[in-house]
Amino acid sequence: MMKFKPNQTRTYDGEGFKRRAACLCFRDDQEDEVLLVSSSRHPDQWIVPGGGVEPEEEPCGAAVREVYEEAGVKGKLGRLLGIFEHNQDRKHRTYVYTLIVTETLEAWEDSVNIGRKRKWFKVDEAIRVLQSHKPVHAEYLLTLPNTCNPPCSPGCNPTNGNSPSSHGTDNSSPHCVVCATQGSDLVNR
């Protein structure tokens, strides 16, 4: 299902969840510093860059595109951290990936168009910042230590100069977790 907005198309899965994608953008492989961006609705608050999956777009490609548009960075796409369901006010299903930043643009689409800012945070500080106004985004970071290491989404080919790390097709390797917020249990897939 699709729903048209003035400048974007919202896509929904078969269960009525809005399809979204996001990346936790890290400074390096140690994953101890994460890049957050200012919210377009509340410029004094920080969020994880992400947004809607467009028609015919894979979630990993959408995540890379959203990071490029909102944070002005490119990098090496890593593993799928999980699929987070948010049901409190809107039904969202967000695919969250890791990304190691390799290039930072001086000016980028959202910095020019809406004055969006970006800032590096230590992970524990980012969790505190996000918990006050975007607790579902804090959940992404809280899940970080418990996620699988093999990259997910075989066959994903994101654009904007970002490329996924090598994808294995070994079915015996662990699959990433699916996370449902708002009191739901974690479910392995």
Side-chain angles (χ1 to χ4, degrees):
M1 180 193 330
M2 290 187 270
K3 183 176 182 182
F4 295 96
K5 263 184 99 177
N7 60 354
Q8 77 179 44
T9 303
R10 294 180 176 178
T11 59
Y12 293 82
D13 64 17
E15 297 176 72
F17 283 85
K18 180 180 177 189
R19 297 179 69 222
R20 299 186 76 256
C23 280
L24 293 178
C25 301
F26 294 104
R27 193 181 292 268
D28 56 37
D29 289 330
Q30 294 191 14
E31 298 183 350
D32 56 359
E33 284 186 273
V34 65
L35 187 68
L36 300 181
V37 296
S38 57
S39 168
S40 60
R41 291 189 193 131
H42 307 283
D44 59 329
Q45 296 177 348
W46 298 99
I47 61 170
V48 172
V53 176
E54 294 179 358
E56 309 301 320
E57 187 176 37
E58 291 296 322
C60 58
V64 167
R65 177 184 48 76
E66 288 290 341
V67 164
Y68 182 76
E69 293 170 2
E70 292 188 1
V73 296
K74 294 181 179 183
K76 180 180 172 190
L77 186 67
R79 70 196 181 279
L80 175 67
L81 282 178
I83 304 167
F84 295 79
E85 294 178 354
H86 187 244
N87 298 310
Q88 186 177 5
D89 48 358
R90 291 172 257 160
K91 287 176 69 172
H92 288 168
R93 187 167 281 153
T94 306
Y95 293 74
V96 181
Y97 297 86
T98 61
L99 183 127
I100 305 301
V101 174
T102 59
E103 184 180 345
T104 305
L105 305 175
E106 288 293 322
W108 65 98
E109 185 176 333
D110 279 6
S111 72
V112 172
N113 294 340
I114 62 171
R116 194 183 298 266
K117 295 177 179 18
R118 63 183 172 214
K119 181 178 175 183
W120 290 103
F121 289 85
K122 292 287 188 186
V123 169
D124 57 343
E125 181 186 4
I127 291 169
R128 280 194 303 277
V129 165
L130 293 169
Q131 281 176 330
S132 64
H133 66 279
K134 273 291 192 190
V136 71
H137 289 198
E139 289 281 329
Y140 305 162
L141 287 163
L142 291 168
T143 303
L144 192 61
N146 302 319
T147 59
C148 59
N149 287 325
C152 299
S153 299
C156 181
N157 191 12
T159 57
N160 295 329
N162 293 294
S163 61
S165 46
S166 62
H167 295 293
T169 56
D170 177 11
N171 290 333
S172 65
S173 63
H175 291 74
C176 293
V177 295
V178 176
C179 306
T181 60
Q182 307 303 325
S184 298
D185 294 331
L186 291 179
V187 180
N188 288 323
R189 270 211 172 154

